[in-house]
Short mmCIF file of all heavy atoms in Angstrom, two decimals:
data_model
loop_
_atom_site.label_atom_id
_atom_site.label_comp_id
_atom_site.label_asym_id
_atom_site.label_seq_id
_atom_site.Cartn_x
_atom_site.Cartn_y
_atom_site.Cartn_z
N ASN A 125 88.82 54.20 85.83
CA ASN A 125 90.14 54.38 86.43
C ASN A 125 90.27 53.51 87.69
O ASN A 125 89.59 53.77 88.69
CB ASN A 125 90.35 55.85 86.80
CG ASN A 125 91.76 56.14 87.23
OD1 ASN A 125 92.54 55.27 87.60
ND2 ASN A 125 92.12 57.42 87.21
N PRO A 130 87.49 57.94 93.52
CA PRO A 130 87.09 58.98 92.60
C PRO A 130 87.05 60.42 93.13
O PRO A 130 86.78 61.34 92.35
CB PRO A 130 85.70 58.57 92.17
CG PRO A 130 85.14 57.87 93.39
CD PRO A 130 86.32 57.20 94.06
N TYR A 227 82.27 67.10 117.99
CA TYR A 227 83.56 67.28 117.31
C TYR A 227 84.03 65.92 116.73
O TYR A 227 84.43 65.85 115.56
CB TYR A 227 84.61 67.82 118.28
CG TYR A 227 84.58 69.31 118.41
CD1 TYR A 227 84.19 69.88 119.62
CD2 TYR A 227 84.96 70.14 117.38
CE1 TYR A 227 84.16 71.28 119.79
CE2 TYR A 227 84.94 71.52 117.52
CZ TYR A 227 84.53 72.09 118.72
OH TYR A 227 84.53 73.48 118.85
N ILE A 230 81.51 64.50 113.87
CA ILE A 230 81.71 65.18 112.57
C ILE A 230 83.10 64.91 112.02
O ILE A 230 83.26 64.62 110.84
CB ILE A 230 81.47 66.69 112.72
CG1 ILE A 230 80.01 66.95 113.13
CG2 ILE A 230 81.82 67.42 111.46
CD1 ILE A 230 79.71 68.40 113.46
N TYR A 239 88.89 58.43 102.54
CA TYR A 239 89.09 57.11 101.88
C TYR A 239 88.95 57.28 100.37
O TYR A 239 89.61 56.58 99.62
CB TYR A 239 88.05 56.10 102.42
CG TYR A 239 88.01 54.84 101.60
CD1 TYR A 239 88.84 53.78 101.86
CD2 TYR A 239 87.13 54.73 100.52
CE1 TYR A 239 88.83 52.65 101.10
CE2 TYR A 239 87.10 53.57 99.73
CZ TYR A 239 87.94 52.54 100.03
OH TYR A 239 87.93 51.40 99.27
N LEU A 240 88.03 58.15 99.94
CA LEU A 240 87.75 58.30 98.52
C LEU A 240 88.92 59.01 97.80
O LEU A 240 88.81 59.29 96.60
CB LEU A 240 86.47 59.08 98.31
CG LEU A 240 85.20 58.40 98.87
CD1 LEU A 240 84.02 59.27 98.67
CD2 LEU A 240 85.00 57.04 98.20
N LYS A 242 92.66 58.12 98.58
CA LYS A 242 93.70 57.12 98.39
C LYS A 242 93.41 55.74 99.02
O LYS A 242 94.29 54.91 99.13
CB LYS A 242 95.03 57.63 98.98
CG LYS A 242 95.57 58.90 98.30
CD LYS A 242 96.96 59.27 98.82
CE LYS A 242 98.02 58.32 98.35
NZ LYS A 242 99.40 58.81 98.68
N SER A 287 85.66 56.34 116.17
CA SER A 287 86.55 56.01 115.07
C SER A 287 85.89 55.03 114.08
O SER A 287 86.30 54.98 112.89
CB SER A 287 87.87 55.39 115.62
OG SER A 287 87.60 54.16 116.25
N ILE A 347 116.09 72.30 109.55
CA ILE A 347 117.01 72.39 110.70
C ILE A 347 116.26 72.73 112.00
O ILE A 347 116.42 72.06 113.01
CB ILE A 347 118.15 73.38 110.45
CG1 ILE A 347 119.00 72.90 109.26
CG2 ILE A 347 119.03 73.54 111.68
CD1 ILE A 347 119.70 71.56 109.46
N PRO A 348 115.41 73.75 111.98
CA PRO A 348 114.62 74.02 113.21
C PRO A 348 113.75 72.87 113.68
O PRO A 348 113.66 72.62 114.87
CB PRO A 348 113.75 75.24 112.81
CG PRO A 348 114.55 75.92 111.74
CD PRO A 348 115.19 74.82 110.96
N ARG A 358 114.64 64.67 124.16
CA ARG A 358 115.64 64.71 125.23
C ARG A 358 115.20 65.53 126.45
O ARG A 358 115.48 65.15 127.57
CB ARG A 358 116.93 65.34 124.69
CG ARG A 358 117.72 64.44 123.73
CD ARG A 358 119.13 64.96 123.55
NE ARG A 358 119.87 64.94 124.78
CZ ARG A 358 121.04 65.59 124.97
NH1 ARG A 358 121.54 66.32 124.00
NH2 ARG A 358 121.63 65.54 126.14
N LEU A 384 108.27 52.39 105.56
CA LEU A 384 109.54 51.69 105.26
C LEU A 384 109.26 50.22 104.92
O LEU A 384 110.16 49.57 104.40
CB LEU A 384 110.46 51.76 106.46
CG LEU A 384 111.09 53.12 106.78
CD1 LEU A 384 111.87 53.06 108.10
CD2 LEU A 384 112.00 53.54 105.62
N ARG A 409 105.65 75.26 123.57
CA ARG A 409 105.86 76.64 124.01
C ARG A 409 107.24 77.17 123.56
O ARG A 409 107.92 77.89 124.29
CB ARG A 409 105.74 76.71 125.53
CG ARG A 409 104.32 76.45 126.06
CD ARG A 409 103.44 77.65 125.75
NE ARG A 409 102.18 77.58 126.48
CZ ARG A 409 101.02 77.16 125.96
NH1 ARG A 409 101.01 76.78 124.71
NH2 ARG A 409 99.93 77.14 126.71
N PHE A 430 124.71 80.56 99.77
CA PHE A 430 125.98 80.38 99.08
C PHE A 430 125.84 79.37 97.92
O PHE A 430 126.43 79.53 96.86
CB PHE A 430 127.10 79.98 100.04
CG PHE A 430 127.84 81.15 100.64
CD1 PHE A 430 127.88 81.31 102.00
CD2 PHE A 430 128.49 82.03 99.84
CE1 PHE A 430 128.57 82.37 102.57
CE2 PHE A 430 129.20 83.10 100.39
CZ PHE A 430 129.24 83.30 101.75
N PHE A 447 119.91 88.45 93.93
CA PHE A 447 119.14 88.13 95.13
C PHE A 447 119.96 87.26 96.10
O PHE A 447 119.81 87.36 97.33
CB PHE A 447 117.84 87.44 94.80
CG PHE A 447 116.74 88.40 94.40
CD1 PHE A 447 116.58 88.81 93.09
CD2 PHE A 447 115.86 88.89 95.37
CE1 PHE A 447 115.59 89.70 92.77
CE2 PHE A 447 114.85 89.78 95.03
CZ PHE A 447 114.71 90.19 93.75
N SER A 464 120.52 94.58 117.43
CA SER A 464 119.11 94.43 117.86
C SER A 464 118.59 93.06 117.48
O SER A 464 118.72 92.59 116.34
CB SER A 464 118.28 95.49 117.18
OG SER A 464 116.89 95.23 117.36
N ILE A 472 116.58 87.09 109.34
CA ILE A 472 116.53 85.63 109.16
C ILE A 472 115.15 85.17 108.69
O ILE A 472 115.06 84.33 107.77
CB ILE A 472 116.92 84.94 110.49
CG1 ILE A 472 118.37 85.23 110.85
CG2 ILE A 472 116.70 83.43 110.36
CD1 ILE A 472 119.38 84.82 109.81
N ILE A 483 114.04 79.86 94.48
CA ILE A 483 114.35 78.66 93.65
C ILE A 483 113.33 78.56 92.52
O ILE A 483 113.72 78.24 91.37
CB ILE A 483 114.33 77.41 94.53
CG1 ILE A 483 115.52 77.44 95.48
CG2 ILE A 483 114.40 76.15 93.70
CD1 ILE A 483 115.51 76.28 96.51
N ILE A 484 112.07 78.84 92.80
CA ILE A 484 111.05 78.72 91.79
C ILE A 484 111.23 79.75 90.65
O ILE A 484 111.32 79.37 89.46
CB ILE A 484 109.63 78.92 92.42
CG1 ILE A 484 109.30 77.75 93.34
CG2 ILE A 484 108.58 79.07 91.33
CD1 ILE A 484 108.00 77.93 94.09
N ASP A 495 107.44 75.67 76.35
CA ASP A 495 106.01 75.40 76.44
C ASP A 495 105.57 74.62 75.22
O ASP A 495 105.63 75.14 74.09
CB ASP A 495 105.24 76.72 76.58
CG ASP A 495 103.78 76.49 76.92
OD1 ASP A 495 103.25 75.37 76.75
OD2 ASP A 495 103.13 77.47 77.39
N LEU A 496 105.09 73.39 75.42
CA LEU A 496 104.72 72.56 74.29
C LEU A 496 103.57 73.20 73.49
O LEU A 496 103.51 73.02 72.27
CB LEU A 496 104.28 71.17 74.79
CG LEU A 496 103.93 70.13 73.74
CD1 LEU A 496 105.18 69.77 72.95
CD2 LEU A 496 103.27 68.91 74.36
N VAL A 499 105.61 75.54 71.05
CA VAL A 499 106.55 74.91 70.08
C VAL A 499 105.82 73.95 69.17
O VAL A 499 106.32 73.64 68.06
CB VAL A 499 107.70 74.20 70.80
CG1 VAL A 499 108.58 75.20 71.54
CG2 VAL A 499 107.18 73.13 71.76
N GLY A 504 97.65 72.12 65.95
CA GLY A 504 96.25 72.54 65.92
C GLY A 504 95.30 71.42 66.34
O GLY A 504 95.47 70.77 67.37
N VAL A 508 98.07 63.61 66.01
CA VAL A 508 99.48 63.59 66.29
C VAL A 508 99.84 62.31 67.02
O VAL A 508 99.11 61.85 67.91
CB VAL A 508 99.94 64.82 67.11
CG1 VAL A 508 99.14 64.91 68.42
CG2 VAL A 508 101.42 64.78 67.40
N MET A 519 99.81 61.17 77.41
CA MET A 519 98.81 61.83 78.23
C MET A 519 99.14 63.28 78.46
O MET A 519 98.28 64.18 78.40
CB MET A 519 98.62 61.10 79.55
CG MET A 519 98.03 59.72 79.45
SD MET A 519 97.79 59.05 81.10
CE MET A 519 97.36 57.35 80.73
N PHE A 560 107.42 61.14 56.81
CA PHE A 560 107.41 62.29 57.73
C PHE A 560 108.61 63.17 57.50
O PHE A 560 109.74 62.66 57.33
CB PHE A 560 107.37 61.82 59.19
CG PHE A 560 106.05 61.27 59.64
CD1 PHE A 560 105.78 59.90 59.54
CD2 PHE A 560 105.05 62.10 60.11
CE1 PHE A 560 104.55 59.38 59.96
CE2 PHE A 560 103.85 61.59 60.52
CZ PHE A 560 103.57 60.24 60.44
N LYS A 591 124.21 67.29 77.82
CA LYS A 591 124.38 66.08 78.65
C LYS A 591 123.19 65.88 79.57
O LYS A 591 122.97 64.79 80.06
CB LYS A 591 125.67 66.20 79.48
CG LYS A 591 126.96 66.19 78.64
CD LYS A 591 127.27 64.78 78.11
CE LYS A 591 128.56 64.76 77.35
NZ LYS A 591 129.70 64.91 78.23
N LEU A 604 106.50 69.83 53.34
CA LEU A 604 106.33 71.02 54.17
C LEU A 604 105.98 72.23 53.30
O LEU A 604 106.57 72.47 52.25
CB LEU A 604 107.61 71.34 54.95
CG LEU A 604 108.09 70.22 55.90
CD1 LEU A 604 109.38 70.64 56.57
CD2 LEU A 604 107.04 69.92 56.95
#
Side-chain angles (χ1 to χ4, degrees):
N125 189 342
Y227 277 112
I230 296 173
Y239 168 88
L240 298 178
K242 296 187 72 172
S287 64
I347 297 298
R358 288 194 63 193
L384 289 172
R409 293 287 192 260
F430 269 121
F447 278 88
S464 169
I472 295 301
I483 292 174
I484 292 174
D495 189 341
L496 185 67
V499 294
V508 56
M519 292 184 189
F560 286 93
K591 293 287 184 69
L604 300 178

